[in-house]
Amino acid sequence: KATSTSVESGISACPRRITRSSSLPIFSLAISVARSSRRVTAPAAPTPAAPRAQESTPMGITEAADPGWVDDVSAQTGIPPRALAAYAGASLQAATEYPGCGLGWNTLAGIGHVESHHGQINGSHLDSTGTATPAIIGIALTGHTTESIPDTDAGRLDGDTVWDRAVGPMQFIPTTWDEWGADGNGDGVKDPQNIDDSTLAAARYLCHIGGDLTQPDRWIAAIAAYNNTIEYNNSVADAAAHYANAG
């Protein structure tokens, strides 16, 4: 889950504000490549340009998403409005900070679906501030069925002083959050349990790793950096394609 280890015609330009009639940037992913039964090996990522900013967004990323668009697309896709506004806002913010990235809201939604069902896994939900309640904590990364990651944060984020665990709606491990944690709602706090913060962090991470994500191999490399299995790549690709077609 963001460890160290769109799906329509490519659209690189992103509207300043997402509206009902806006055409959103989404990845032109070669779905057939990701669905292959052989393992997808991500190529080495190119040296990316430094982010233009790693600061808070004072108004919050969800301010960029038109409420009417959010309601319409939520009804079509089943994505909770609070999560959808975060995906859309993070996509727009990424377009400003990484203009050559082409990150689509639907890819962030695909990851959110796979990782936590948009913050609704195991009885959790997103409150009005976008924070997962109760907190979403993944399994201990003991090495049995996962990468082995002994505790790195003294349990500060995941409550476990023995092993690290992925946390929040976008399932960041503590070390990755320490590097990429973001303040997406402008409250001055970087909280991995908050959908605005974690989605903006994911957007920056994907663009930094992948570069031009309108290119199929770069999209695959970025998703592989998030979780490097063919099954994961397939699941995110399928969900992203579904959301692009529905929304």
Side-chain angles (χ1 to χ4, degrees), residues 28-114:
S28 54
L29 170 64
I31 297 294
S32 59
V33 174
R35 286 179 179 160
S36 168
S37 60
R38 63 183 175 81
R39 183 181 182 82
V40 173
T41 302
T47 302
R52 292 188 173 185
Q54 290 288 342
E55 302 175 354
S56 300
T57 51
M59 299 267 313
I61 59 172
T62 60
E63 294 295 320
D66 183 88
W69 179 90
V70 169
D71 289 344
D72 287 349
V73 176
S74 175
Q76 295 176 56
T77 61
I79 300 172
R82 190 63 186 76
L84 181 57
Y87 301 144
S91 173
L92 290 171
Q93 183 67 23
T96 298
E97 296 180 12
Y98 298 84
C101 179
L103 173 64
W105 68 270
N106 60 306
T107 291
L108 293 169
I111 292 173
H113 168 75
V114 173

Side-chain angles (χ1 to χ4, degrees), residues 155-229:
R156 176 175 55 90
L157 295 176
D158 57 17
D160 191 334
T161 59
V162 179
W163 300 100
D164 268 352
R165 298 168 181 255
V167 296
M170 301 299 275
Q171 288 287 276
F172 277 90
I173 61 172
T175 52
T176 310
W177 185 257
D178 282 345
E179 181 177 1
W180 287 96
D183 177 15
N185 59 7
D187 67 353
V189 177
K190 298 176 181 180
D191 181 3
Q193 297 292 341
N194 181 270
I195 192 69
D196 301 340
D197 294 357
S198 58
T199 300
L200 179 58
R204 288 171 170 167
Y205 181 81
L206 293 168
C207 287
H208 180 83
I209 293 294
D212 181 2
L213 298 182
T214 66
Q215 300 302 311
D217 63 329
R218 302 313 321 147
W219 190 95
I220 292 171
I223 301 303
Y226 211 92
N227 189 317
N228 192 19
T229 69

